[in-house]
Amino acid sequence: MLPSGSAAGTGPSIDATSLKRMVQERALAEERLWHVLMHYRAKGSGYESLVDDPDYFFAPRGKIDPAAELAASVEAMLAPPDQGDEHFICRYPARSEWLVESLDVDPQILSRPDCVKRDEALAKVDPQSAVLVFPAAHNNGPASMFGHTLLRIGSSYQSELLSHAINYAAFSTDTNGLIYAFKGLFGLYDGYFTVLPYYEKLNEYSSLEHRDVWEYRLNLEPEEVRRLVLHSWEMQGIASDYFFFDENCSFLLLYLLEAARPELNLTQPYYDRFSFWVIPSDTIVSVKEAGLVEEVKYRPSLATRIEHKASLLDESARRKSHAIAVAGASPRELAENYSLQEQRQILDLSAEYLRYRFSRKEIEEDRYKKRYLPVLAARSALGTEDEMVEVPRPVPPELGHAPGRWALGAGARDSRYFLEFNWRAAYHDLLDPDEGFTQGAQINFISLKARYFPERNNLRLENLHLVDIFSLAPRDLFFSPISWKVRGGLERKPFTDGEDLLYVGINTGGGMAWNLGPDALLYLMADADLNLSDRFRDKVSLGAGPTLGCLLQLTSDWKAHLHGGALFYGFEEHEHYRAVLEQNYRLSREGGVTLKAGWERAFDQSKAEIMLSLNRYF
């Protein structure tokens, strides 16, 4: 047990020298749990902690020297108790508890500071069980492009909503996808652990962000969960550089699970493998493979429930439900035109949509009550349904394709044959299978394409994209999101001499998308395009124009994307027209085959190409 309480002792009756000798004799600096608690990883012939905040360390070289940090921690543990909540025992309870147990020290002879904040927090959280929570990705949120993971700590309370959540996230106020991606790629955000009521996060994800939530109950014992919470407490207010690809929300949570059960080996495999990224869905796979998951639960978001309820009604009934919720139409007229079952469904949908609008502050409280209460009264008078209609459970995120992808292909461009190699670090393309991912969301980070032309014995870089995001969020009677896209990197297009030349390109746009039935998505966008090249007279060319496209799910394994557009440039005046038909057929979860045909015209030079490629996910 951790020493605590108001009856503070007068000081330790054991000296630091003898404890440090015991630390060396028992080689505690090499112990697995010590490395986990300090987030050490092997680097060269030594170690380095992933924690970047100097406040986490007591030794000047504590970030890279486990032995020095352990010796300094022993000194801090023996400090006088008058430091209160800032004493080592209070501020770093997982470390101090491990030291006490490893050194076989009687806690009663140590300093006994009054750890008010720590004890209150531990009593409030009341750790009994743990659940790994995955809020799915959301099209219109840059901060949620990959999904997210956090931990819910179950307590002795019966309601799960009264439990607490442990969250690690980047501190950011940026809403621009390109800026967010750039800063996240290069670790320009600080990441922090926080503990907060679970219902707040669930409401944020479900009501405000349209994000479905998956919950994976873990088979940790109460004492293991307690140690996990103690370690999360000592990480409070401690900053680390947040990187999208590795030191992110999902990877850092694995250290908490290893602190709970040190024999787990969840983080090292990510250092050992070839790929250098950690995707939230990857960590779910790791936790399942470690045998930690005992139950999976799906919580559809409020928006998903609304969309499902609306899909059960015809157009007339949907419009009636919308009119009741938005225009305040009376529910009393329903009996004249709709069956009993349809009336129930219409009012259920109206009630859900009113709740949604109120949660997003789209309707004032007084107006909300005036509309919501009559809807509830009318719905109550109709009785309960014979069978509850559940939202169909989608494919879990961990069962989707792997985030990396490479492809080998062959084709012809302007009568010149070529071989192509395509590589993507992460994460999902519009033509990739949607199972486990958000439909209509393309999120590609660090992708490149290279081509070899045998006729000229020429190997060239075709393009290199740092980021390529395409978010198609369909609009309907109940929701009116904006679709958007952003892409930045090196591109090629025909110039005045007819050659395809590289240039720096940044393209962004916004617009609208609509579902044309369950298997077709139509979109229209207005683009802005910035080109930088020495071949331009003014080194720069800025253009704008429309893009029109349609994404089709032809069969469960076959997808097609037909799109085209035109850009009209100032400065270096020219136009760029393009039309493309892409198709992808899934052969297995590991890969598929893609056929692409395209045409473009720039600087009065036209080029057409066709290519067939074999794709493999990794």
Side-chain angles (χ1 to χ4, degrees), residues 6-253:
S6 58
T10 58
S13 58
I14 188 169
D15 65 282
T17 302
S18 59
L19 286 184
K20 290 179 183 179
R21 186 184 310 113
M22 293 171 62
V23 164
Q24 291 182 334
E25 291 172 351
R26 301 182 184 187
L28 295 185
E30 299 300 320
E31 283 288 322
R32 162 75 175 161
L33 185 52
W34 175 244
H35 285 201
V36 169
L37 294 176
M38 298 306 301
H39 297 202
Y40 285 128
R41 63 165 179 167
K43 187 173 183 180
S45 59
Y47 297 94
E48 183 177 38
S49 174
L50 293 185
V51 180
D52 298 298
D53 197 326
D55 289 343
Y56 195 64
F57 306 98
F58 286 86
R61 291 172 48 83
K63 182 176 173 67
I64 59 173
D65 191 337
E69 179 61 24
L70 184 52
S73 296
V74 170
E75 293 273 6
M77 185 175 66
L78 299 179
D82 55 6
Q83 298 176 17
D85 284 309
E86 295 304 313
H87 193 280
F88 177 84
I89 289 174
C90 301
R91 186 64 185 86
Y92 299 100
R95 280 196 247 177
S96 58
E97 185 175 80
W98 172 76
L99 272 171
V100 168
E101 293 176 353
S102 299
L103 295 171
D104 298 322
V105 175
D106 182 357
Q108 300 301 318
I109 67 174
L110 294 175
S111 296
R112 301 188 63 198
D114 199 3
C115 302
V116 177
K117 293 181 180 179
R118 184 203 70 192
D119 294 342
E120 286 180 351
L122 197 60
K124 189 175 182 180
V125 174
D126 184 25
Q128 301 296 323
S129 61
V131 176
L132 181 64
V133 181
F134 178 86
H138 171 46
N139 286 19
N140 276 14
S144 63
M145 291 183 291
F146 291 114
H148 184 59
T149 52
L150 63 151
L151 289 167
R152 176 172 67 80
I153 305 302
S155 66
S156 54
Y157 297 111
Q158 290 186 347
S159 174
E160 296 177 350
L161 297 180
L162 296 178
S163 57
H164 284 73
I166 298 175
N167 186 53
Y168 180 76
F171 180 77
S172 166
T173 58
D174 294 318
T175 58
N176 182 280
L178 186 60
I179 294 175
Y180 189 82
F182 178 82
K183 289 186 176 180
L185 285 172
F186 294 100
L188 300 180
Y189 290 120
D190 285 333
Y192 291 94
F193 279 95
T194 54
V195 178
L196 66 166
Y198 182 57
Y199 71 84
E200 290 184 7
K201 296 301 293 182
L202 193 61
N203 181 64
E204 174 187 338
Y205 293 134
S206 177
S207 300
L208 302 182
E209 295 190 0
H210 295 212
R211 299 171 72 177
D212 297 341
V213 173
W214 293 85
E215 296 181 335
Y216 301 82
R217 182 172 295 278
L218 308 179
N219 57 14
L220 296 176
E221 297 297 328
E223 183 57 33
E224 293 175 320
V225 180
R226 177 180 173 275
R227 185 161 55 239
L228 182 156
V229 171
L230 289 179
H231 182 44
S232 71
W233 169 260
E234 56 192 19
M235 296 300 298
Q236 298 288 297
I238 299 298
S240 292
D241 296 338
Y242 189 99
F243 291 86
F244 268 172
F245 277 133
D246 47 17
E247 297 176 40
N248 55 26
C249 63
S250 295
F251 188 64
L252 270 293
L253 283 185

Side-chain angles (χ1 to χ4, degrees), residues 301-314:
S301 69
L302 188 52
T304 298
R305 296 200 301 270
I306 291 170
E307 289 170 348
H308 179 64
K309 290 179 185 295
S311 71
L312 302 176
L313 299 171
D314 61 25

Side-chain angles (χ1 to χ4, degrees), residues 147-415:
H148 184 59
T149 52
L150 63 151
L151 289 167
R152 176 172 67 80
I153 305 302
S155 66
S156 54
Y157 297 111
Q158 290 186 347
S159 174
E160 296 177 350
L161 297 180
L162 296 178
S163 57
H164 284 73
I166 298 175
N167 186 53
Y168 180 76
F171 180 77
S172 166
T173 58
D174 294 318
T175 58
N176 182 280
L178 186 60
I179 294 175
Y180 189 82
F182 178 82
K183 289 186 176 180
L185 285 172
F186 294 100
L188 300 180
Y189 290 120
D190 285 333
Y192 291 94
F193 279 95
T194 54
V195 178
L196 66 166
Y198 182 57
Y199 71 84
E200 290 184 7
K201 296 301 293 182
L202 193 61
N203 181 64
E204 174 187 338
Y205 293 134
S206 177
S207 300
L208 302 182
E209 295 190 0
H210 295 212
R211 299 171 72 177
D212 297 341
V213 173
W214 293 85
E215 296 181 335
Y216 301 82
R217 182 172 295 278
L218 308 179
N219 57 14
L220 296 176
E221 297 297 328
E223 183 57 33
E224 293 175 320
V225 180
R226 177 180 173 275
R227 185 161 55 239
L228 182 156
V229 171
L230 289 179
H231 182 44
S232 71
W233 169 260
E234 56 192 19
M235 296 300 298
Q236 298 288 297
I238 299 298
S240 292
D241 296 338
Y242 189 99
F243 291 86
F244 268 172
F245 277 133
D246 47 17
E247 297 176 40
N248 55 26
C249 63
S250 295
F251 188 64
L252 270 293
L253 283 185
L254 296 181
Y255 276 98
L256 296 188
L257 296 177
E258 289 183 337
R261 188 177 290 175
E263 58 267 29
L264 291 173
N265 185 25
L266 300 174
T267 56
Q268 189 58 42
Y270 289 97
Y271 294 121
D272 294 338
R273 70 183 191 178
F274 173 74
S275 55
F276 53 86
W277 53 87
V278 185
I279 305 298
S281 55
D282 285 348
T283 61
I284 298 174
V285 174
S286 298
V287 169
K288 291 186 74 172
E289 289 178 347
L292 282 172
V293 177
E294 60 182 21
E295 182 185 3
V296 181
K297 184 176 182 179
Y298 169 64
R299 291 182 185 266
S301 69
L302 188 52
T304 298
R305 296 200 301 270
I306 291 170
E307 289 170 348
H308 179 64
K309 290 179 185 295
S311 71
L312 302 176
L313 299 171
D314 61 25
E315 182 66 19
S316 170
R318 285 197 294 268
R319 291 192 176 279
K320 188 62 178 178
S321 179
H322 186 268
I324 292 172
V326 176
S330 174
R332 299 174 185 173
E333 306 169 1
L334 293 177
E336 301 175 4
N337 301 303
Y338 300 97
S339 68
L340 178 61
Q341 179 66 7
E342 287 174 328
Q343 293 177 59
R344 290 168 175 164
Q345 292 176 329
I346 289 171
L347 292 176
D348 284 342
L349 177 56
S350 297
E352 290 274 51
Y353 191 53
L354 279 166
R355 284 183 53 215
Y356 169 81
R357 296 191 68 207
F358 180 66
S359 70
R360 295 176 62 86
K361 296 181 172 55
E362 295 178 4
I363 183 173
E364 296 177 353
E365 185 174 1
D366 289 343
R367 182 176 296 182
Y368 166 70
K369 290 180 178 179
K370 288 179 181 179
R371 293 181 182 175
Y372 187 65
L373 295 178
V375 170
L376 287 186
R379 176 62 183 88
S380 178
L382 298 177
T384 59
E385 296 187 50
D386 296 333
E387 293 184 12
M388 294 296 293
V389 179
E390 297 288 338
V391 176
R393 176 169 159 159
V395 175
E398 71 273 17
L399 297 183
H401 64 76
R405 188 187 68 189
W406 60 262
L408 293 175
R413 178 174 175 83
D414 197 26
S415 301

